[in-house]
Amino acid sequence: KDLPESCGGTFKTKILMPMADVTKEDVLDSLPPQFEGGKKTIESVCLTARDVMLNQVHSLFDEKDEDGKELMVQYLKASL
């Protein structure tokens, strides 16, 4: 009998299978240095934030809209 909470996949397919792709390096990269082997630093957090922001800018504007991207970058610089 199907349970309502299992609609769309099982615990194995929704939780465990994606976790199988996680490596020890992934875990260490996400842990702060207070944990043994932890590599997460303020620099790595800032680089991730930068990459996310740049990806958003690129997704908001057409590939050839350099003026629009430049205006967005100027706005973001001024607001930071």
Side-chain angles (χ1 to χ4, degrees):
K1 188 175 184 177
D2 289 331
L3 299 172
E5 58 269 17
S6 66
C7 290
T10 65
F11 177 75
K12 182 178 179 182
T13 60
K14 290 181 116 180
I15 306 296
L16 296 180
M17 285 181 68
M19 288 177 61
D21 295 333
V22 176
T23 66
K24 182 177 179 178
E25 286 302 310
D26 293 333
V27 173
L28 293 176
D29 288 342
S30 67
L31 288 174
Q34 295 86 342
F35 292 91
E36 184 177 334
K39 299 178 186 177
K40 187 175 187 178
T41 63
I42 190 67
E43 181 182 11
S44 66
V45 171
C46 290
L47 290 173
T48 299
R50 178 204 63 189
D51 294 345
V52 168
M53 182 181 63
L54 290 174
N55 283 330
Q56 285 296 322
V57 169
H58 286 290
S59 71
L60 292 171
F61 294 95
D62 186 65
E63 189 175 314
K64 296 176 183 178
D65 187 3
E66 295 300 323
D67 292 334
K69 290 178 191 176
E70 182 62 31
L71 286 171
M72 176 64 85
V73 168
Q74 289 174 8
Y75 172 80
L76 291 170
K77 282 182 178 179
S79 66
L80 292 173

